[in-house]
Amino acid sequence: MKSFEYTVQDPIGIHARPAGLLVKEVKKYASTITLSKGEKSVNALKLMAIMGLGIKQGETVKITVEGDDEEKAAAEIEAFFKANL
């Protein structure tokens, strides 16, 4: 299992467009990818669940990757966050 934390930089936070891009990115991997904010954790394949977290600029989220391609998936998802969120 691999995990990392990321502080959201997008001025609007994780709203519909970036959440949709995240889901599209996550679908590329066999691993299970979980997005957590505080006590709440959601499957990163679930668009409405991600939006339900209400992640705003400056908030830190934890991303957990577990599965066969977790090394590659964690590195590429982290790069996605830095480039898009």
Side-chain angles (χ1 to χ4, degrees), residues 7-14 37 53-60:
T7 301
V8 176
Q9 305 299 315
D10 188 300
I12 305 172
I14 300 181
K37 175 188 157 192
L53 290 175
I55 302 164
K56 303 198 179 341
Q57 181 183 28
E59 293 183 328
T60 301

Side-chain angles (χ1 to χ4, degrees), residues 20-31 33 44-46 69 77:
L21 292 174
L22 177 59
V23 169
K24 192 173 182 180
E25 183 70 18
V26 167
K27 285 182 180 179
K28 297 177 183 176
Y29 308 103
S31 295
I33 300 169
L45 286 172
K46 309 286 186 192
D69 59 354
I77 294 291

Side-chain angles (χ1 to χ4, degrees), residues 42-64:
V42 299
N43 184 324
L45 286 172
K46 309 286 186 192
L47 177 66
M48 295 309 289
I50 293 170
M51 291 175 59
L53 290 175
I55 302 164
K56 303 198 179 341
Q57 181 183 28
E59 293 183 328
T60 301
V61 293
K62 181 177 181 182
I63 297 84
T64 306

